[in-house]
């Protein structure tokens, strides 16, 4: 699933390598539909800030993202082609604690 490092970045390299179109786009983050994802792992290495994890290795502080990916992938549209990152992606990329700074609902 996609976790905090994607926030305010959305580099979307993940979308380009996904063979099953499982990424959905929200205003500040992408999420993965867990029912569509085939766990191929291609996106994990493609993501510049390393925002994507299989559930078993998701860092403890980001466990809430399991539910966020499952629920928001039902609400947000599929993104199936790479696009420009968010305007200040490079500035946000290395910031910690981004989960507390944006509204992901
Ligand atoms: Fe986000 Fe990384 Fe994809 S920053 S949009 S999960 S390439």
């Amino acid at each position: 699933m996609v976790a905090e490092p994607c926030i305010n970045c959305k580099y979307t390299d993940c979308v380009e390598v996904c063979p099953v179109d499982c990424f959905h786009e929200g205003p500040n983050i992408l999420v993965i539909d867990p029912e569509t994802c085939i766990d191929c792992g291609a996106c994990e290495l493609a993501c510049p800030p390393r925002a994507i994890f299989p559930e078993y290795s998701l860092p403890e502080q980001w466990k809430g993202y399991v539910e966020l990916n499952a629920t928001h992938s039902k609400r947000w549209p599929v993104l199936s082609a790479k696009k420009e990152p968010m305007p200040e992606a490079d500035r946000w990329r290395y910031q910690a604690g981004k989960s507390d700074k944006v509204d992901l609902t």
Side-chain angles (χ1 to χ4, degrees), residues 22-25 31-37 66-78:
C22 71
F23 285 92
H24 294 245
E25 184 180 21
V31 291
I32 289 173
D33 180 349
E35 293 177 11
T36 305
C37 177
V66 174
E67 187 178 349
L68 184 98
N69 279 253
T71 57
H72 288 50
S73 61
K74 300 285 179 266
R75 299 171 30 201
W76 290 341
V78 168

Side-chain angles (χ1 to χ4, degrees), residues 11-86:
Y11 286 99
T12 70
D13 300 84
C14 53
V15 172
E16 199 168 35
V17 299
C18 179
V20 293
D21 283 352
C22 71
F23 285 92
H24 294 245
E25 184 180 21
N28 306 98
I29 191 172
L30 264 61
V31 291
I32 289 173
D33 180 349
E35 293 177 11
T36 305
C37 177
I38 56 171
D39 296 320
C40 70
C43 57
E44 294 166 36
L45 293 176
C47 173
R50 295 290 189 266
I52 306 172
F53 301 84
E55 189 168 348
Y56 67 84
S57 65
L58 182 67
E60 187 62 35
Q61 74 269 28
W62 295 333
K63 292 295 186 195
Y65 282 86
V66 174
E67 187 178 349
L68 184 98
N69 279 253
T71 57
H72 288 50
S73 61
K74 300 285 179 266
R75 299 171 30 201
W76 290 341
V78 168
L79 182 67
S80 53
K82 181 172 166 56
K83 58 190 273 189
E84 286 296 307
M86 292 184 74

